[in-house]
Amino acid sequence: MQTLTILGATGSIGRSTLDVVARHPERFRVFALSGGAQFELLAQQCAVFVPEYAVVLDESVAVQLRALLTSIHCATQVLVGVQALCDVASDSSVTTVMSAIVGAAGLLPTMAAAKAGKRVLLANKESLVMAGALMTAAVREGGATLLPIDSEHNALFQCMPEPHDSKSIASLTLTASGGPFLHTPVAELKNITPDEACAHPRWSMGRKISVDSATMMNKGLEVIEAFWLFGISAAQINVVIHPQSIIHSLVNYVDGSSLAQLGHADMRVPIAHALAYPERIHSGVGLLDLATQGKLEFFAPDLEKFVCLRLAFDALNAGGAAPIVLNAANECSVAAFLDGCIGFLDIDRINELALNTVHPAIPVNLDDVLAVDAQTRRWASQIIMDMA
């Protein structure tokens, strides 16, 4: 039986993970859950799965969560803070960690799980974007297993033999839905509202990642993630827009073969694959009936319209601290957009300005990574204040 810590249990990936886990009580036991401000949902999850620990980052949230758990006679202990996240990710009784915290906040507990040799199910792409070399080294040195959860990277993983031979791979093609503004002229994007940006046509996601999908920054971050996961060059990574989200990605081999993974746009599929790997278990998702799907479309991305995707390739090619700078600037600009402080197109502007302006030294350890992240956030906050 696997013993799980689910980081980001109240988010869309966390909820889908618990849905799969509930279908297989003989295989999985929940040790710890973490959440943000949604303490009522976290309490409901604790009541169902009765983990030893629930972790939140804010003491005021912890107070409310403890009171609610007491009222429903749930014995789950509430812990607070980043160190608590790291502790439940590296605890000796834990076999598997679902890393589903959105953004840079997921880096430290994911690194702790890798160093402790856990089976790490990676939905927090920022861990590799910010600290790819350090994270992959921690996986090797800690004897951890890293399994991708993003539907695109999980698809690539499924299409590769294990262990894969990089010499046989010509390129990787990541598919992208194109988000809600695929066919919207650039001139009409200026007045896009947060609610419009979060209305994804295919996937149900949190607001931050939904905005990233609308700008295609999410795909850009996935390009950087693929670089570290699969050990190929940036020039071998391609992106194609596929609005129907049926083909989740392709591996293109040197002999002319291309292998693709297909399925419904439901994150329970890659989650179930990674949870049970190398076995297969029921995910709760029905089989794909191609005859009912209609036309499948594919387009090359417009890098003049989707500036953030171009910036991600630029950051990957620049290397060093550039991916950290881009991720930090993007998190700040997206938060400011969702708060109504800047416009939708300002996200592109701030991210590009950050890459062209913030040039810290190449990080050599985790402290350096966090310092670059903090430096960029201070810079971005000032830029946003000046624009407001």
Side-chain angles (χ1 to χ4, degrees):
M1 176 175 283
Q2 293 187 51
T3 304
L4 307 177
T5 284
I6 301 176
L7 303 173
T10 56
S12 61
I13 297 295
R15 297 194 303 271
S16 292
T17 301
L18 288 173
D19 182 273
V20 175
V21 166
R23 297 171 189 276
H24 303 277
E26 76 288 354
R27 299 183 68 114
F28 306 111
R29 181 179 73 86
V30 177
F31 173 80
L33 301 173
S34 83
Q38 298 183 71
F39 68 91
E40 293 178 334
L41 175 56
L42 187 57
Q44 293 171 14
Q45 293 173 335
C46 289
V48 173
F49 294 95
V50 198
E52 279 83 347
Y53 300 103
V55 184
V56 295
L57 291 177
D58 187 273
E59 182 61 43
S60 64
V61 175
V63 170
Q64 297 176 87
L65 178 59
R66 289 189 185 104
L68 192 49
L69 291 176
T70 298
S71 71
I72 61 175
H73 307 289
C74 179
T76 297
Q77 182 178 347
V78 178
L79 305 177
V80 183
V82 174
Q83 185 56 53
L85 289 175
C86 294
D87 290 344
V88 298
S90 58
D91 191 278
S92 60
S93 63
V94 172
T95 62
T96 305
V97 176
M98 169 58 78
S99 173
I101 295 175
V102 175
L107 173 59
L108 291 179
T110 305
M111 183 70 77
K115 289 181 176 179
K118 305 304 181 185
R119 182 185 181 104
V120 181
L121 312 187
L122 188 66
N124 173 259
K125 60 181 65 67
E126 290 83 0
S127 294
L128 287 177
V129 170
M130 296 175 64
L134 296 173
M135 183 63 66
T136 52
V139 169
R140 289 193 305 271
E141 295 165 8
T145 300
L146 189 62
L147 296 171
I149 295 298
D150 277 339
S151 60
E152 297 80 3
H153 303 92
N154 183 266
L156 294 171
F157 182 79
Q158 291 193 50
C159 293
M160 293 181 183
E162 185 63 32
H164 71 268
D165 176 15
S166 60
K167 293 181 180 179
S168 69
I169 297 173
S171 64
L172 305 178
T173 300
L174 300 173
T175 59
S177 71
F181 308 131
L182 175 59
H183 301 296
T184 304
V186 175
E188 297 179 16
L189 295 177
K190 181 179 180 180
N191 297 317
I192 290 297
T193 67
D195 285 344
E196 289 171 330
C198 290
H200 196 280
R202 289 284 170 176
W203 298 96
S204 175
M205 306 177 292
R207 288 174 71 79
K208 191 271 181 183
I209 196 171
S210 294
V211 175
D212 281 351
S213 180
T215 64
M216 287 197 73
M217 176 58 85
N218 192 51
K219 198 57 50 181
L221 298 179
E222 289 175 3
V223 167
I224 301 173
E225 183 182 5
F227 171 83
W228 290 109
L229 279 172
F230 302 113
I232 64 171
S233 69
Q236 292 174 285
I237 305 173
N238 308 305
V239 173
V240 64
I241 293 178
H242 169 45
Q244 292 75 30
S245 299
I246 295 297
I247 295 177
H248 296 299
S249 279
L250 305 88
V251 180
N252 308 299
Y253 289 94
V254 294
D255 63 1
S257 299
S258 292
L259 300 184
Q261 186 264 342
L262 289 71
H264 291 294
D266 192 314
M267 287 305 298
R268 291 177 295 174
V269 174
I271 289 168
H273 173 265
L275 278 171
Y277 182 80
E279 298 179 57
R280 299 271 182 171
I281 59 174
H282 184 51
S283 65
V285 180
L287 298 179
L288 181 66
D289 181 359
L290 282 176
T292 66
Q293 297 304 312
K295 180 171 64 175
L296 301 184
E297 301 172 291
F298 304 92
F299 311 99
D302 181 350
L303 296 184
E304 292 186 5
K305 176 179 179 180
F306 294 111
V307 174
C308 286
L309 178 58
R310 171 177 61 80
L311 294 178
F313 275 104
D314 291 346
L316 178 56
N317 285 313
I324 309 170
V325 170
L326 180 61
N327 181 72
N330 184 65
E331 289 193 16
C332 291
S333 59
V334 170
F337 168 68
L338 288 172
D339 287 341
C341 299
I342 62 173
F344 182 72
L345 292 178
D346 291 328
I347 297 172
D348 295 344
R349 298 188 185 101
I350 292 169
N351 291 345
E352 185 157 27
L353 186 60
L355 274 187
N356 293 331
T357 305
V358 184
H359 301 294
I362 296 175
V364 297
N365 55 43
L366 198 55
D367 287 341
D368 291 346
V369 170
L370 297 176
V372 172
D373 180 76
Q375 175 188 351
T376 307
R377 288 172 191 274
R378 289 192 297 271
W379 175 91
S381 296
Q382 184 60 55
I383 293 295
I384 290 167
M385 286 178 60
D386 292 344
M387 293 176 67

